[in-house]
Amino acid sequence: MPAPLPLTTADRELVAAYREARRRAGLSTIPTHLWPAKAFCAQVGGIDGWLCLSLEEQCGLDRRIRSFVNWLAVASRLRPSADYVVAAVPQLGRIAARYHPATYALVTETSRELGYSAGVGVDQWSLFARLMVLSGSPPDVVGLGALEVARRAIEEAEGRLGPVRRQSASSRGGRGPGGPAQSMTRPYRGLLAVLFHAGLIDKAPKNDAAWDSSPRSYAEWSHVAPTLAATMRSYVDQCALTQRPATTVRNDTTLRELGLFLAERYPEVTCVAEIRRAHIEAFKSFLATRPAKQPAKGMTLSRATIKNHLIAIGLFFQRLLEWQVEDAPTAQLLYSADLPRLDQPLPRFLDDGAAAKLLQAARADNDPFVRLAVELLARTGLRKGELLGLTVDSVVQIGTAYWLRVPVGKLHTDRYVPLHPQLKALIDSWLAARPEALRSNLLFVERGRPMGTHRVDRAVAKVAAAAGIGRVTPHQLRHTLATQAVNRGMPLEAIAALLGHKTLTMTLVYARIADRTVAEEYFSVSEKVEALYDRSVPLPPDAEGAEMRKLRAEMHRRMLGNGYCARPLELDCHFESICESCSFFVTTIDFRPTLARQRDDAKEKGQIARQKVFEGLLARLDEGEAS
């Protein structure tokens, strides 16, 4: 047994609190187990003494003393630094589970109900303990804002310490509720969902995209010239008041990329007013060669992405001038000719046979989400975002029919679409299997979080592969429904209402795909054309119309010995009757009717010289006949 340690009154009070906490947790309170608390007070100098130690000294303390430090942190009596939490890898999760058993049980049980495994639930609690300790708040009162601040602090500490030091330090830790450090991105998202549905935080977690971007964006903005960054970020903040969050994120990303490009290539440019046309031309060349998000495939940015980048930058310059901002461009820097011209292909859709195979494969799939998602997309024409935005009360009954209320989406409008009874049954089955712990009103929730669009993509791709019809995207099902409706005579106004189009111009593209008038005219003419080539079948009476007969007569009249005359009808020709004017021209009474028609034709056209030629020929024929 270690020798007794000298303790002050404050030290004894701290040891007594530790003894009481162990007693409530059902742990031993014998003097040997209380030695770490006494040693911490006598040898380290208590909490104030520990805070004065360097990080290396804190991590180098006896393992038993560090366990007492962990209790102090869990009990909100001591707030360690983020560097210590990362470098020392304290067993905070295991200790927090001992001293907050009710909250531990609530978190892990909610995690299990949301579909996570037991191991993932323990890891989520361990992460929660680390964040809770850094925030300095008990687990039942810590808020989302404090959790986010603590998360950023841990990420910054991991960046400062580096992977080698974290790895060497983590060798002193162990697995379990307080295991080694790991990437926080995915566990943090899942933890927020669990805490929300457990009732420990009041704000639902955001969807996938937003969490990773903020720390990186802060770091990248720090490399942009301060004045330029201030103007750009002020513009983004103003636009955020009226734009959708996704648009704001795209604007921030685009302007940040421009700022980083100028900082690297043209460091002398420190504000918007110093940007010149040459800088924009260089940035255009940079965008044309910059790798896309998947550089391993050798892909560069698409023309559509480049166009969107340039449009965003052009609006930035234009609005700075309109708002009369002090740091505004001094001249026009972007023109419409700078924007790449995009192809305008018709929407890709499935023919009736492929669509039937797709639905048959969907109904045979074992995953209820796959069946419901594919059926909804194919039968209602929903967009992916509209599908994932459906709520549990989206199905309404109007009269004897059921309708689906589509939430506000891409075009800032909502609408009602008719719901097939089979879809109503599928939705009811999906809701019946919904976990009771969910606090979200979204129809599609996966492990407590809003389901991501990639889940819908995978569902459609899985069914398409099973049907053997190649690659199919969710939006193709929307195009397929519209094309089927046009082919079967549904008015364009009704199709526009079904798809949620604001104008008929958006719907007319499907009329280009399925123009029944063009098809009917083509097939009616093609039958007559085929009859011309098939000599065994008599030509129909209307095979040659009036215009064709007129053209054939005109061409016959203009035929020459080795070609034909292409002179327009409205133009006169001095050589039209040159052969009849020749002294060697000979005719007989047999050609009198033809010569008479040619004279009459010249008279009708006002061709006096030609008329006189034929009148002379007719006169000689009459004289010869009289003699």
Side-chain angles (χ1 to χ4, degrees):
M1 179 176 177
L5 297 172
L7 300 177
T8 64
T9 302
D11 294 339
R12 292 191 180 93
E13 292 178 354
L14 188 61
V15 173
Y18 182 55
R19 177 189 297 110
E20 179 62 19
R22 290 183 63 87
R23 186 190 64 78
R24 289 197 304 268
L27 302 175
S28 172
T29 58
I30 61 176
T32 302
H33 293 152
L34 297 179
W35 179 86
K38 298 177 181 178
F40 175 82
C41 295
Q43 297 177 4
V44 179
I47 295 176
D48 293 336
W50 185 86
L51 293 175
C52 294
L53 298 177
S54 67
L55 179 61
E56 295 294 337
E57 293 171 334
Q58 292 174 349
C59 296
L61 291 174
D62 184 275
R63 179 181 58 83
R64 293 172 294 175
I65 296 179
R66 284 192 287 116
S67 69
F68 177 70
V69 173
N70 297 340
W71 173 80
L72 291 173
V74 168
S76 301
R77 292 175 175 268
L78 177 149
R79 291 185 65 177
S81 65
D83 289 351
Y84 176 79
V85 172
V86 172
V89 195
Q91 304 297 304
L92 295 175
R94 182 177 297 137
I95 295 174
R98 292 175 180 173
Y99 294 102
H100 299 286
T103 308
Y104 172 72
L106 174 63
V107 171
T108 54
E109 178 62 20
T110 303
S111 176
R112 185 192 63 78
E113 291 181 3
L114 295 179
Y116 291 101
S117 65
V120 172
V122 171
D123 289 340
Q124 290 172 342
W125 170 259
S126 177
L127 175 59
F128 182 40
R130 298 170 72 194
L131 299 174
M132 174 187 66
V133 163
L134 286 180
S135 67
S137 303
D140 52 346
V141 298
V142 64
L144 180 59
L147 291 176
E148 179 63 15
V149 171
R151 178 188 73 89
R152 293 182 180 176
I154 289 180
E155 287 183 342
E156 292 172 358
E158 289 177 340
R160 287 192 299 269
L161 296 177
V164 175
R165 185 173 182 181
R166 289 204 311 272
Q167 184 177 2
S168 61
S170 66
S171 62
R172 296 189 294 271
R175 284 297 298 168
Q182 58 177 323
S183 175
M184 294 183 59
T185 301
R186 185 172 298 175
Y188 182 67
R189 294 173 183 165
L191 172 64
L192 290 185
V194 171
L195 296 181
F196 172 72
H197 294 292
L200 295 177
I201 59 175
D202 295 328
K203 188 175 181 181
K206 295 181 180 180
N207 212 341
D208 289 345
W211 294 112
D212 297 335
S213 61
S214 54
R216 184 180 65 183
S217 67
Y218 292 143
E220 290 181 348
W221 276 119
S222 65
H223 296 290
V224 181
T227 304
L228 180 62
T231 303
M232 290 179 169
R233 300 191 70 175
S234 175
Y235 166 80
V236 172
D237 292 340
Q238 285 297 315
C239 292
L241 302 176
T242 56
Q243 292 175 338
R244 289 187 179 276
T247 305
T248 302
V249 170
R250 285 195 296 269
N251 287 342
D252 180 89
T253 303
T254 301
L255 294 179
R256 188 169 70 248
E257 185 172 28
L258 175 61
L260 291 172
F261 171 80
L262 294 174
E264 180 181 356
R265 302 280 187 89
Y266 304 97
E268 68 276 7
V269 177
T270 60
C271 61
V272 176
E274 295 176 355
I275 299 177
R276 298 294 181 262
R277 172 66 187 179
H279 302 143
I280 299 300
E281 292 176 352
F283 184 66
K284 286 174 54 183
S285 301
F286 164 75
L287 291 178
T289 57
R290 182 177 78 80
K293 290 184 177 181
Q294 298 176 330
K297 295 184 179 180
M299 298 173 58
T300 57
L301 294 181
S302 66
R303 294 174 64 85
T305 302
I306 294 175
K307 182 175 182 179
N308 292 335
H309 277 52
L310 295 178
I311 288 176
I313 294 173
L315 288 176
F316 167 65
F317 292 147
Q318 178 183 343
R319 286 173 179 167
L320 290 184
L321 292 172
E322 293 173 351
W323 297 345
Q324 298 181 353
V325 176
E326 182 177 352
D327 185 21
T330 58
Q332 186 172 356
L333 302 176
L334 268 171
Y335 301 86
S336 59
D338 291 316
L339 304 180
R341 296 192 63 180
L342 306 181
D343 298 332
Q344 296 182 347
L346 290 171
R348 296 175 60 240
F349 64 96
L350 303 179
D351 58 34
D352 292 344
K357 291 180 181 179
L358 186 79
L359 287 181
Q360 290 172 2
R363 291 166 185 169
D365 197 275
N366 295 326
D367 188 344
F369 172 76
V370 171
R371 295 198 300 271
L372 179 56
V374 175
E375 288 268 4
L376 276 173
L377 291 171
R379 289 177 175 265
T380 63
L382 296 179
R383 303 179 179 93
K384 280 192 301 186
E386 294 171 342
L387 174 73
L388 297 176
L390 293 174
T391 56
V392 294
D393 58 351
S394 294
V395 178
V396 297
Q397 187 172 3
I398 303 176
T400 59
Y402 288 99
W403 294 71
L404 186 69
R405 188 183 70 82
V406 182
V408 175
K410 177 180 178 181
L411 300 182
H412 304 269
T413 58
D414 58 358
R415 65 187 186 278
Y416 284 88
V417 298
L419 193 64
H420 194 278
Q422 292 181 356
L423 287 178
K424 173 65 167 57
L426 288 174
I427 293 176
D428 290 342
S429 299
W430 177 264
L431 290 174
R434 182 182 176 88
E436 295 182 359
L438 289 179
R439 294 175 62 194
S440 173
N441 67 337
L442 290 176
L443 180 62
F444 297 110
V445 179
E446 188 172 37
R447 293 183 174 179
R449 303 201 306 270
M451 195 172 289
T453 56
H454 61 279
R455 185 77 164 83
V456 184
D457 294 332
R458 290 202 303 265
V460 175
K462 177 183 178 183
V463 173
I469 57 176
R471 182 177 181 272
V472 179
T473 65
H475 211 71
Q476 276 183 264
L477 303 184
R478 177 178 171 87
H479 296 325
T480 300
L481 177 65
T483 307
Q484 291 172 340
V486 171
N487 280 335
R488 285 154 179 79
M490 188 174 181
L492 292 179
E493 294 83 358
I495 297 176
L498 176 67
L499 300 181
H501 289 166
K502 281 189 173 182
T503 64
L504 279 179
T505 304
M506 303 172 68
T507 317
L508 285 173
V509 66
Y510 299 107
R512 292 169 55 198
I513 297 176
D515 195 327
R516 289 175 298 147
T517 303
V518 172
E520 291 170 358
E521 292 293 332
Y522 168 76
F523 287 116
S524 65
V525 171
S526 65
E527 292 176 359
K528 300 173 183 178
V529 172
E530 289 295 331
L532 292 175
Y533 297 106
D534 189 359
R535 295 298 184 182
S536 62
V537 180
L539 290 176
D542 58 344
E544 185 178 59
E547 293 298 324
M548 181 63 74
R549 286 194 295 271
K550 179 179 178 182
L551 179 60
R552 187 184 298 277
E554 177 66 21
M555 290 299 296
H556 181 73
R557 190 177 71 82
R558 289 168 172 263
M559 288 293 292
L560 303 176
N562 54 358
Y564 63 91
C565 177
R567 172 180 55 84
L569 293 175
E570 60 273 12
L571 295 182
D572 195 4
C573 178
H574 298 290
F575 306 101
E576 188 172 0
S577 55
I578 191 169
C579 291
E580 290 84 348
S581 304
C582 180
S583 57
F584 294 100
F585 179 76
V586 177
T587 185
T588 63
I589 196 65
D590 297 333
F591 296 99
R592 192 181 194 287
T594 302
L595 295 172
R597 287 197 301 271
Q598 290 176 319
R599 178 201 59 192
D600 296 339
D601 179 71
K603 185 177 181 180
E604 291 175 2
K605 295 179 179 179
Q607 297 173 348
I608 299 176
R610 180 166 167 254
Q611 178 184 348
K612 290 181 178 180
V613 170
F614 290 110
E615 287 178 348
L617 293 174
L618 290 172
R620 289 201 300 271
L621 287 176
D622 292 339
E623 292 174 358
E625 187 177 290
S627 60

